[in-house]
Amino acid sequence: MRRLILVLLVLCVSCSAFAQGNMPSNSQQRKVFPYAYTVDDLPNKLRLITIPTDYPNLVALYIVVGTGSRNEVEAGKSGYAHLFEHLMFRGSKNFSADQRDAILKRAGASSNAYTTDDRTVYHEVFSKEDLPQIMEIEADRFLRLTYPETAYKTETRAVLGEYNKNSASPFSKMEEVLRATAYNKHTYTHTTMGFIKDIEDMPNQYQYSLEFYRRYYRPEYTTIIIAGDVTRDQALQLTRKNFGEWQTGNYMPEIPGEPEQTAPRTANIDWPTPTLPIIAVAFRGPAYSDEKLDKAALDLLASIAFGQNSELFQRLVLKEQKVDFVGASFGDQLDPELFTVYSRVKDPKDVAYVQEQILQTFKRFTTETIPQAKLDATRSNARYSFAHAMDSSEAIASAIAPYVALRRTPETLNKVFAMYDRITPEDMRTAARRYFVDRNRTIVTLQTKQGATTANTGGTNQ
């Protein structure tokens, strides 16, 4: 499921797909993703990305399905992308759940999955000699998933339990209310878990679940990443053998567009048990783009304005010690996403003050030009940190999976850093002026009932 993560810098990227079988040029020294890879498209539109690495013996297999909560367009049917993250472990035509688990256990494989707004990702790491059998069991569940209605109902009850557990977290409730307040029509209005009323009705929707599988678990929505001690020929042969008969579908969802926001919005959550107050200040931001500069400019601004080295962090967290954290979250989404700053306040009486400091920081960067040296240092650190983190085959596959979900190629990652290199201080100020305006703003506060204070009035950010 989509988790609420405070990030100091969130990277965005994209690019047009590499030609089949092409390799990136070694002469391009500025590429943050330096690994030679190949891209192969099967006739059924399944895409394979093979990344041979210098890490011996192990292979990471990531299967990226371009389906998340964004695709849940029908009323009463939210949460099904996340539900399938569970159902896909329930067994298939030729391998029961127990048989699958036994194969993975013998291989010493780690296996898991996650769901976000725009994608669902299934991943394993294992010894290279186990690749043929693991490709076989993976193909069987993607092509021939089976689950009886009794098992389906069991899994829907597990999802309801997960929702109830998450609801005990103030941050999960904050994300849920923020999205429901900021969006009216677009499917980003619900989290990946879905609306509670839809989750409660899931046990009655067995036939619809089969339809969801038929719609989205298709090769045209899917990209396979194989990274590690592997060759292109081996990976391609196994993919053709196991996934070649997978039939292309014909379903295209009509994602509803979100109308322009015309006035600031607010919401308050009265939390039933003692907790520190939490503030979320969000502005409507742009979708991911590899052509327009606004998203890349705001990515860099997120770190400069709200990261650990920012003046706001230094003042509120270290000097005044009024909050225990403050940070920005701004993901790479297929459609316009929220640029959100979260903070947790130590004393309820300081909620209004902290909220105003966050608002003033947004306003500041609509007029102030960031020093060139600070911008250069920020993007240099982003490049170094990202490259340094790709220290295993699993880390490499994991790092590119979100970007592959956007444009089905690792080159997306290189494109975003190329865009970062183009950003000027004026580009950042222009983007801030365009998006950090009152009508685009949503503020949500969460406080224990007896700790409520006067906040949410909001300063002006025109």
Side-chain angles (χ1 to χ4, degrees), residues 221-297:
Y221 283 102
T222 306
T223 304
I224 297 175
I225 303 169
I226 303 178
D229 196 348
V230 65
T231 66
R232 175 195 180 191
D233 288 345
Q234 179 190 17
L236 184 55
Q237 185 270 328
L238 289 172
T239 302
R240 286 172 171 164
K241 175 183 177 182
N242 292 287
F243 290 88
E245 66 182 70
W246 200 3
Q247 296 297 306
T248 305
N250 58 13
Y251 181 78
M252 291 288 291
E254 294 185 9
I255 310 298
E258 181 67 24
E260 283 191 20
Q261 188 170 329
T262 58
R265 300 172 184 174
T266 63
N268 296 285
I269 303 168
D270 289 330
W271 197 246
T273 58
T275 188
L276 294 178
I278 306 169
I279 302 169
V281 179
F283 287 85
R284 294 268 192 95
Y288 165 79
S289 175
D290 55 12
E291 298 174 352
K292 299 178 181 179
L293 294 178
D294 283 356
K295 179 63 172 68

Side-chain angles (χ1 to χ4, degrees), residues 170-171 173-174 269 271 275-279 444-448:
F171 284 104
K173 180 57 67 175
M174 283 285 288
I269 303 168
W271 197 246
T275 188
L276 294 178
I278 306 169
I279 302 169
V444 177
T445 55
L446 180 148
Q447 300 179 83
T448 304

Side-chain angles (χ1 to χ4, degrees), residues 75-334:
K77 301 296 192 294
S78 64
Y80 280 82
H82 171 249
L83 174 62
F84 266 88
E85 179 192 324
H86 291 244
L87 291 174
M88 287 289 283
F89 290 87
R90 273 289 176 177
S92 54
K93 180 179 179 180
N94 298 308
F95 300 95
S96 68
D98 289 341
Q99 289 173 322
R100 172 186 166 81
D101 290 344
I103 290 171
L104 292 172
K105 185 176 181 180
R106 284 196 301 271
S110 64
S111 178
N112 215 326
Y114 68 88
T115 310
T116 73
D117 294 339
D118 298 332
R119 66 186 182 275
T120 307
V121 180
Y122 301 86
H123 51 94
E124 289 99 10
V125 181
F126 45 85
S127 298
K128 64 178 181 180
E129 58 265 23
D130 295 306
L131 179 59
Q133 188 169 34
I134 289 180
M135 287 287 280
E136 181 182 4
I137 65 173
E138 282 299 291
D140 204 55
R141 67 172 174 168
F142 275 84
L143 277 69
R144 294 172 286 273
L145 181 70
T146 60
Y147 50 90
E149 190 167 1
T150 53
Y152 169 78
K153 289 186 175 181
T154 297
E155 209 59 61
T156 61
R157 287 191 291 269
V159 169
L160 178 59
E162 183 179 345
Y163 176 91
N164 290 333
K165 180 181 178 181
N166 289 343
S167 293
S169 164
F171 284 104
S172 293
K173 180 57 67 175
M174 283 285 288
E175 181 185 16
E176 182 179 301
V177 173
L178 175 63
R179 290 188 163 272
T181 305
Y183 294 99
N184 289 331
K185 291 188 64 176
H186 194 280
T187 45
Y188 288 164
T189 191
H190 60 265
T191 67
T192 55
M193 287 296 297
F195 293 122
I196 180 59
K197 65 180 184 298
D198 298 344
I199 298 172
E200 291 173 337
D201 189 50
M202 278 179 175
N204 305 316
Q205 299 295 331
Y206 175 70
Q207 290 300 321
Y208 177 78
S209 75
L210 300 176
E211 179 62 24
F212 191 92
Y213 177 71
R214 285 192 292 266
R215 287 178 179 178
Y216 292 117
Y217 279 73
R218 294 289 185 176
E220 68 270 25
Y221 283 102
T222 306
T223 304
I224 297 175
I225 303 169
I226 303 178
D229 196 348
V230 65
T231 66
R232 175 195 180 191
D233 288 345
Q234 179 190 17
L236 184 55
Q237 185 270 328
L238 289 172
T239 302
R240 286 172 171 164
K241 175 183 177 182
N242 292 287
F243 290 88
E245 66 182 70
W246 200 3
Q247 296 297 306
T248 305
N250 58 13
Y251 181 78
M252 291 288 291
E254 294 185 9
I255 310 298
E258 181 67 24
E260 283 191 20
Q261 188 170 329
T262 58
R265 300 172 184 174
T266 63
N268 296 285
I269 303 168
D270 289 330
W271 197 246
T273 58
T275 188
L276 294 178
I278 306 169
I279 302 169
V281 179
F283 287 85
R284 294 268 192 95
Y288 165 79
S289 175
D290 55 12
E291 298 174 352
K292 299 178 181 179
L293 294 178
D294 283 356
K295 179 63 172 68
L298 293 180
D299 280 345
L300 295 170
L301 183 60
S303 178
I304 293 171
F306 302 104
Q308 292 189 15
N309 291 323
S310 68
E311 292 183 19
L312 182 71
F313 186 97
Q314 296 294 313
R315 181 170 66 256
L316 293 182
V317 178
L318 301 180
K319 182 180 178 181
E320 298 177 355
Q321 298 186 16
K322 292 184 181 296
V323 307
D324 58 10
F325 72 80
V326 62
S329 175
F330 186 39
D332 295 309
Q333 305 287 118
L334 289 170

Side-chain angles (χ1 to χ4, degrees), residues 304 309-311 364 370-379:
I304 293 171
N309 291 323
S310 68
E311 292 183 19
R364 169 188 172 188
I370 293 167
Q372 184 69 49
K374 182 175 288 189
L375 171 57
D376 292 342
T378 298
R379 54 186 162 208

